[in-house]
Amino acid sequence: MTRTVLVLGTDHRFQCRSPEFTEPQHQRFAAFILATARKDGVVALAEEYNVEALAEANVAESTIEVIANKLGLKHRYCDPEMKTRAKLGMLQENQIRISAFPEKLTEAEVQRQLEESLRARERYWLLELVAFNAWPVLFICGANHSLLFVKLLRANNVDTILVAQDWGA
């Protein structure tokens, strides 16, 4: 079986139906996901999101999970929760910036640590997708990750299609 991932970069606020976007904007996003899933024959939807992020946004399920259920597709949240991030040494930006002050880190060092943490999260998503083992899969992530995640997937012999670098921009 060919391992194929379709990558869609976008704004995370679409995933939790943020009130910062209008209902027509949310409807266009959902319609695009639906159309892409049908057109490309995906068997699953996966995303850079987790249950903690849902709770922070005060929603029970993401837009992507709702669509997966509607289409009868498998769904997976792939982003590590805070406990897992801490265990794996993945720091949030605010954690890195707070530690920068007493350690007298330069902005270049802060940026290096931020990039290192982001790449570690992307590697985690790859492992989640491999464990999920549902191909082809449409993976939704933040636009800032889309190109680098495509590169990582391809470097790991995963057929990859970039659906959109930054949908909705």
PDB file of all heavy atoms in Angstrom, residues 123-145:
ATOM      1  N   ARG A 123       8.132  15.792  13.637  1.00  0.00           N
ATOM      2  CA  ARG A 123       8.558  14.392  13.657  1.00  0.00           C
ATOM      3  C   ARG A 123       7.553  13.535  14.432  1.00  0.00           C
ATOM      4  O   ARG A 123       7.280  12.392  14.059  1.00  0.00           O
ATOM      5  CB  ARG A 123       9.973  14.260  14.236  1.00  0.00           C
ATOM      6  CG  ARG A 123      11.057  14.803  13.302  1.00  0.00           C
ATOM      7  CD  ARG A 123      12.459  14.491  13.787  1.00  0.00           C
ATOM      8  NE  ARG A 123      12.778  15.038  15.092  1.00  0.00           N
ATOM      9  CZ  ARG A 123      13.242  16.274  15.306  1.00  0.00           C
ATOM     10  NH1 ARG A 123      13.465  17.086  14.282  1.00  0.00           N
ATOM     11  NH2 ARG A 123      13.509  16.683  16.536  1.00  0.00           N
ATOM     12  N   TYR A 124       7.011  14.085  15.484  1.00  0.00           N
ATOM     13  CA  TYR A 124       5.988  13.388  16.270  1.00  0.00           C
ATOM     14  C   TYR A 124       4.755  13.113  15.400  1.00  0.00           C
ATOM     15  O   TYR A 124       4.200  12.017  15.434  1.00  0.00           O
ATOM     16  CB  TYR A 124       5.619  14.228  17.503  1.00  0.00           C
ATOM     17  CG  TYR A 124       4.672  13.542  18.450  1.00  0.00           C
ATOM     18  CD1 TYR A 124       5.152  12.764  19.499  1.00  0.00           C
ATOM     19  CD2 TYR A 124       3.296  13.684  18.316  1.00  0.00           C
ATOM     20  CE1 TYR A 124       4.296  12.145  20.391  1.00  0.00           C
ATOM     21  CE2 TYR A 124       2.426  13.063  19.198  1.00  0.00           C
ATOM     22  CZ  TYR A 124       2.929  12.294  20.230  1.00  0.00           C
ATOM     23  OH  TYR A 124       2.067  11.678  21.101  1.00  0.00           O
ATOM     24  N   TRP A 125       4.330  14.104  14.603  1.00  0.00           N
ATOM     25  CA  TRP A 125       3.167  13.907  13.719  1.00  0.00           C
ATOM     26  C   TRP A 125       3.433  12.784  12.731  1.00  0.00           C
ATOM     27  O   TRP A 125       2.542  11.985  12.444  1.00  0.00           O
ATOM     28  CB  TRP A 125       2.829  15.160  12.936  1.00  0.00           C
ATOM     29  CG  TRP A 125       2.620  16.401  13.727  1.00  0.00           C
ATOM     30  CD1 TRP A 125       2.294  16.513  15.063  1.00  0.00           C
ATOM     31  CD2 TRP A 125       2.727  17.729  13.252  1.00  0.00           C
ATOM     32  NE1 TRP A 125       2.204  17.822  15.421  1.00  0.00           N
ATOM     33  CE2 TRP A 125       2.453  18.596  14.326  1.00  0.00           C
ATOM     34  CE3 TRP A 125       3.028  18.280  12.005  1.00  0.00           C
ATOM     35  CZ2 TRP A 125       2.465  19.982  14.194  1.00  0.00           C
ATOM     36  CZ3 TRP A 125       3.039  19.650  11.880  1.00  0.00           C
ATOM     37  CH2 TRP A 125       2.762  20.487  12.963  1.00  0.00           C
ATOM     38  N   LEU A 126       4.638  12.760  12.187  1.00  0.00           N
ATOM     39  CA  LEU A 126       4.999  11.694  11.249  1.00  0.00           C
ATOM     40  C   LEU A 126       4.824  10.330  11.909  1.00  0.00           C
ATOM     41  O   LEU A 126       4.223   9.421  11.333  1.00  0.00           O
ATOM     42  CB  LEU A 126       6.444  11.876  10.754  1.00  0.00           C
ATOM     43  CG  LEU A 126       7.028  10.729   9.935  1.00  0.00           C
ATOM     44  CD1 LEU A 126       6.235  10.481   8.665  1.00  0.00           C
ATOM     45  CD2 LEU A 126       8.486  11.007   9.622  1.00  0.00           C
ATOM     46  N   LEU A 127       5.331  10.192  13.121  1.00  0.00           N
ATOM     47  CA  LEU A 127       5.184   8.927  13.846  1.00  0.00           C
ATOM     48  C   LEU A 127       3.715   8.598  14.099  1.00  0.00           C
ATOM     49  O   LEU A 127       3.299   7.443  13.997  1.00  0.00           O
ATOM     50  CB  LEU A 127       5.949   8.974  15.173  1.00  0.00           C
ATOM     51  CG  LEU A 127       7.470   9.077  15.066  1.00  0.00           C
ATOM     52  CD1 LEU A 127       8.091   9.256  16.443  1.00  0.00           C
ATOM     53  CD2 LEU A 127       8.049   7.868  14.342  1.00  0.00           C
ATOM     54  N   GLU A 128       2.921   9.607  14.415  1.00  0.00           N
ATOM     55  CA  GLU A 128       1.484   9.405  14.625  1.00  0.00           C
ATOM     56  C   GLU A 128       0.807   8.924  13.344  1.00  0.00           C
ATOM     57  O   GLU A 128      -0.029   8.008  13.376  1.00  0.00           O
ATOM     58  CB  GLU A 128       0.823  10.700  15.109  1.00  0.00           C
ATOM     59  CG  GLU A 128       1.117  11.039  16.543  1.00  0.00           C
ATOM     60  CD  GLU A 128       0.445  10.087  17.518  1.00  0.00           C
ATOM     61  OE1 GLU A 128      -0.775   9.879  17.423  1.00  0.00           O
ATOM     62  OE2 GLU A 128       1.159   9.544  18.390  1.00  0.00           O
ATOM     63  N   LEU A 129       1.162   9.527  12.221  1.00  0.00           N
ATOM     64  CA  LEU A 129       0.567   9.116  10.940  1.00  0.00           C
ATOM     65  C   LEU A 129       0.956   7.695  10.574  1.00  0.00           C
ATOM     66  O   LEU A 129       0.129   6.916  10.097  1.00  0.00           O
ATOM     67  CB  LEU A 129       0.956  10.089   9.827  1.00  0.00           C
ATOM     68  CG  LEU A 129       0.310  11.474   9.912  1.00  0.00           C
ATOM     69  CD1 LEU A 129       0.891  12.394   8.837  1.00  0.00           C
ATOM     70  CD2 LEU A 129      -1.202  11.390   9.796  1.00  0.00           C
ATOM     71  N   VAL A 130       2.201   7.344  10.803  1.00  0.00           N
ATOM     72  CA  VAL A 130       2.659   5.980  10.514  1.00  0.00           C
ATOM     73  C   VAL A 130       1.915   4.985  11.408  1.00  0.00           C
ATOM     74  O   VAL A 130       1.446   3.944  10.948  1.00  0.00           O
ATOM     75  CB  VAL A 130       4.193   5.861  10.667  1.00  0.00           C
ATOM     76  CG1 VAL A 130       4.634   4.411  10.630  1.00  0.00           C
ATOM     77  CG2 VAL A 130       4.897   6.679   9.574  1.00  0.00           C
ATOM     78  N   ALA A 131       1.764   5.312  12.677  1.00  0.00           N
ATOM     79  CA  ALA A 131       1.033   4.433  13.600  1.00  0.00           C
ATOM     80  C   ALA A 131      -0.446   4.353  13.226  1.00  0.00           C
ATOM     81  O   ALA A 131      -1.072   3.290  13.342  1.00  0.00           O
ATOM     82  CB  ALA A 131       1.191   4.928  15.032  1.00  0.00           C
ATOM     83  N   PHE A 132      -1.013   5.439  12.759  1.00  0.00           N
ATOM     84  CA  PHE A 132      -2.412   5.502  12.326  1.00  0.00           C
ATOM     85  C   PHE A 132      -2.640   4.548  11.160  1.00  0.00           C
ATOM     86  O   PHE A 132      -3.651   3.865  11.074  1.00  0.00           O
ATOM     87  CB  PHE A 132      -2.737   6.949  11.958  1.00  0.00           C
ATOM     88  CG  PHE A 132      -4.176   7.276  11.730  1.00  0.00           C
ATOM     89  CD1 PHE A 132      -5.205   6.636  12.396  1.00  0.00           C
ATOM     90  CD2 PHE A 132      -4.500   8.300  10.852  1.00  0.00           C
ATOM     91  CE1 PHE A 132      -6.533   6.995  12.185  1.00  0.00           C
ATOM     92  CE2 PHE A 132      -5.817   8.667  10.628  1.00  0.00           C
ATOM     93  CZ  PHE A 132      -6.832   8.007  11.299  1.00  0.00           C
ATOM     94  N   ASN A 133      -1.680   4.542  10.232  1.00  0.00           N
ATOM     95  CA  ASN A 133      -1.661   3.608   9.100  1.00  0.00           C
ATOM     96  C   ASN A 133      -2.944   3.625   8.272  1.00  0.00           C
ATOM     97  O   ASN A 133      -3.508   2.575   7.945  1.00  0.00           O
ATOM     98  CB  ASN A 133      -1.352   2.185   9.597  1.00  0.00           C
ATOM     99  CG  ASN A 133      -0.905   1.273   8.474  1.00  0.00           C
ATOM    100  OD1 ASN A 133      -0.325   1.726   7.490  1.00  0.00           O
ATOM    101  ND2 ASN A 133      -1.185  -0.014   8.603  1.00  0.00           N
ATOM    102  N   ALA A 134      -3.406   4.819   7.950  1.00  0.00           N
ATOM    103  CA  ALA A 134      -4.600   4.983   7.110  1.00  0.00           C
ATOM    104  C   ALA A 134      -4.204   5.851   5.918  1.00  0.00           C
ATOM    105  O   ALA A 134      -3.913   7.031   6.075  1.00  0.00           O
ATOM    106  CB  ALA A 134      -5.721   5.637   7.910  1.00  0.00           C
ATOM    107  N   TRP A 135      -4.163   5.246   4.735  1.00  0.00           N
ATOM    108  CA  TRP A 135      -3.656   5.931   3.539  1.00  0.00           C
ATOM    109  C   TRP A 135      -4.669   5.840   2.413  1.00  0.00           C
ATOM    110  O   TRP A 135      -5.278   4.797   2.258  1.00  0.00           O
ATOM    111  CB  TRP A 135      -2.330   5.305   3.092  1.00  0.00           C
ATOM    112  CG  TRP A 135      -1.386   5.006   4.214  1.00  0.00           C
ATOM    113  CD1 TRP A 135      -1.140   3.774   4.760  1.00  0.00           C
ATOM    114  CD2 TRP A 135      -0.560   5.919   4.929  1.00  0.00           C
ATOM    115  NE1 TRP A 135      -0.217   3.876   5.768  1.00  0.00           N
ATOM    116  CE2 TRP A 135       0.158   5.175   5.900  1.00  0.00           C
ATOM    117  CE3 TRP A 135      -0.348   7.299   4.858  1.00  0.00           C
ATOM    118  CZ2 TRP A 135       1.054   5.764   6.775  1.00  0.00           C
ATOM    119  CZ3 TRP A 135       0.552   7.868   5.733  1.00  0.00           C
ATOM    120  CH2 TRP A 135       1.251   7.106   6.678  1.00  0.00           C
ATOM    121  N   PRO A 136      -4.824   6.869   1.662  1.00  0.00           N
ATOM    122  CA  PRO A 136      -4.287   8.230   1.812  1.00  0.00           C
ATOM    123  C   PRO A 136      -5.012   8.990   2.927  1.00  0.00           C
ATOM    124  O   PRO A 136      -6.187   8.750   3.196  1.00  0.00           O
ATOM    125  CB  PRO A 136      -4.545   8.888   0.455  1.00  0.00           C
ATOM    126  CG  PRO A 136      -5.668   8.119  -0.147  1.00  0.00           C
ATOM    127  CD  PRO A 136      -5.625   6.731   0.428  1.00  0.00           C
ATOM    128  N   VAL A 137      -4.278   9.894   3.541  1.00  0.00           N
ATOM    129  CA  VAL A 137      -4.796  10.689   4.642  1.00  0.00           C
ATOM    130  C   VAL A 137      -4.615  12.173   4.321  1.00  0.00           C
ATOM    131  O   VAL A 137      -3.597  12.565   3.747  1.00  0.00           O
ATOM    132  CB  VAL A 137      -4.108  10.319   5.977  1.00  0.00           C
ATOM    133  CG1 VAL A 137      -2.606  10.519   5.912  1.00  0.00           C
ATOM    134  CG2 VAL A 137      -4.714  11.081   7.160  1.00  0.00           C
ATOM    135  N   LEU A 138      -5.624  12.957   4.671  1.00  0.00           N
ATOM    136  CA  LEU A 138      -5.534  14.407   4.553  1.00  0.00           C
ATOM    137  C   LEU A 138      -5.125  14.929   5.924  1.00  0.00           C
ATOM    138  O   LEU A 138      -5.813  14.686   6.915  1.00  0.00           O
ATOM    139  CB  LEU A 138      -6.880  15.005   4.127  1.00  0.00           C
ATOM    140  CG  LEU A 138      -6.997  16.532   4.095  1.00  0.00           C
ATOM    141  CD1 LEU A 138      -5.957  17.165   3.173  1.00  0.00           C
ATOM    142  CD2 LEU A 138      -8.413  16.942   3.683  1.00  0.00           C
ATOM    143  N   PHE A 139      -3.974  15.614   5.980  1.00  0.00           N
ATOM    144  CA  PHE A 139      -3.441  16.134   7.235  1.00  0.00           C
ATOM    145  C   PHE A 139      -3.534  17.648   7.236  1.00  0.00           C
ATOM    146  O   PHE A 139      -3.018  18.312   6.337  1.00  0.00           O
ATOM    147  CB  PHE A 139      -1.983  15.704   7.425  1.00  0.00           C
ATOM    148  CG  PHE A 139      -1.406  16.128   8.737  1.00  0.00           C
ATOM    149  CD1 PHE A 139      -1.668  15.386   9.880  1.00  0.00           C
ATOM    150  CD2 PHE A 139      -0.613  17.251   8.846  1.00  0.00           C
ATOM    151  CE1 PHE A 139      -1.154  15.773  11.113  1.00  0.00           C
ATOM    152  CE2 PHE A 139      -0.094  17.646  10.068  1.00  0.00           C
ATOM    153  CZ  PHE A 139      -0.359  16.912  11.208  1.00  0.00           C
ATOM    154  N   ILE A 140      -4.198  18.192   8.257  1.00  0.00           N
ATOM    155  CA  ILE A 140      -4.382  19.634   8.381  1.00  0.00           C
ATOM    156  C   ILE A 140      -3.444  20.142   9.467  1.00  0.00           C
ATOM    157  O   ILE A 140      -3.430  19.625  10.588  1.00  0.00           O
ATOM    158  CB  ILE A 140      -5.857  19.980   8.731  1.00  0.00           C
ATOM    159  CG1 ILE A 140      -6.783  19.589   7.571  1.00  0.00           C
ATOM    160  CG2 ILE A 140      -6.001  21.471   9.018  1.00  0.00           C
ATOM    161  CD1 ILE A 140      -7.209  18.175   7.546  1.00  0.00           C
ATOM    162  N   CYS A 141      -2.657  21.162   9.126  1.00  0.00           N
ATOM    163  CA  CYS A 141      -1.714  21.729  10.089  1.00  0.00           C
ATOM    164  C   CYS A 141      -1.653  23.238   9.931  1.00  0.00           C
ATOM    165  O   CYS A 141      -2.206  23.797   8.982  1.00  0.00           O
ATOM    166  CB  CYS A 141      -0.313  21.129   9.898  1.00  0.00           C
ATOM    167  SG  CYS A 141       0.452  21.451   8.303  1.00  0.00           S
ATOM    168  N   GLY A 142      -0.984  23.880  10.867  1.00  0.00           N
ATOM    169  CA  GLY A 142      -0.778  25.314  10.766  1.00  0.00           C
ATOM    170  C   GLY A 142       0.025  25.649   9.528  1.00  0.00           C
ATOM    171  O   GLY A 142       0.937  24.903   9.146  1.00  0.00           O
ATOM    172  N   ALA A 143      -0.299  26.757   8.910  1.00  0.00           N
ATOM    173  CA  ALA A 143       0.366  27.155   7.667  1.00  0.00           C
ATOM    174  C   ALA A 143       1.878  27.271   7.835  1.00  0.00           C
ATOM    175  O   ALA A 143       2.629  26.990   6.901  1.00  0.00           O
ATOM    176  CB  ALA A 143      -0.212  28.473   7.165  1.00  0.00           C
ATOM    177  N   ASN A 144       2.335  27.632   9.029  1.00  0.00           N
ATOM    178  CA  ASN A 144       3.773  27.779   9.252  1.00  0.00           C
ATOM    179  C   ASN A 144       4.508  26.439   9.209  1.00  0.00           C
ATOM    180  O   ASN A 144       5.734  26.415   9.148  1.00  0.00           O
ATOM    181  CB  ASN A 144       4.047  28.487  10.575  1.00  0.00           C
ATOM    182  CG  ASN A 144       3.503  27.732  11.778  1.00  0.00           C
ATOM    183  OD1 ASN A 144       2.425  27.132  11.726  1.00  0.00           O
ATOM    184  ND2 ASN A 144       4.217  27.766  12.874  1.00  0.00           N
ATOM    185  N   HIS A 145       3.775  25.333   9.222  1.00  0.00           N
ATOM    186  CA  HIS A 145       4.396  24.007   9.186  1.00  0.00           C
ATOM    187  C   HIS A 145       4.318  23.336   7.811  1.00  0.00           C
ATOM    188  O   HIS A 145       5.043  22.378   7.564  1.00  0.00           O
ATOM    189  CB  HIS A 145       3.693  23.052  10.171  1.00  0.00           C
ATOM    190  CG  HIS A 145       3.861  23.403  11.595  1.00  0.00           C
ATOM    191  ND1 HIS A 145       5.002  23.128  12.309  1.00  0.00           N
ATOM    192  CD2 HIS A 145       3.007  23.996  12.466  1.00  0.00           C
ATOM    193  CE1 HIS A 145       4.836  23.535  13.565  1.00  0.00           C
ATOM    194  NE2 HIS A 145       3.639  24.060  13.680  1.00  0.00           N
TER     195      HIS A 145
END
